[in-house]
Amino acid sequence: MPNWLQNQMKRAFYEKDSYQIKLLNQCWFYYRKKERIHL
């Protein structure tokens, strides 16, 4: 997981921002899916 995404996740969890957490999760799964296609 990229560093910037980890930092965003930590902040979202710290602030208990469920919307942000869901958004970041979707970002991460999309990112991983895209990476898998390129490999």
Side-chain angles (χ1 to χ4, degrees):
M1 188 181 288
N3 220 11
W4 61 269
L5 191 57
Q6 282 179 346
N7 291 337
Q8 292 272 32
M9 274 288 200
K10 283 179 198 161
R11 190 180 308 137
F13 274 108
Y14 179 72
E15 295 172 358
K16 294 182 174 56
D17 186 347
S18 56
Y19 174 75
Q20 186 78 355
I21 292 167
K22 286 176 193 160
L23 195 69
L24 291 166
N25 266 330
Q26 287 173 344
C27 272
W28 174 236
F29 284 116
Y30 175 75
Y31 177 83
R32 279 180 51 203
K33 194 163 55 174
K34 212 170 68 170
E35 287 292 301
R36 213 174 295 135
I37 291 168
H38 289 298
L39 293 175

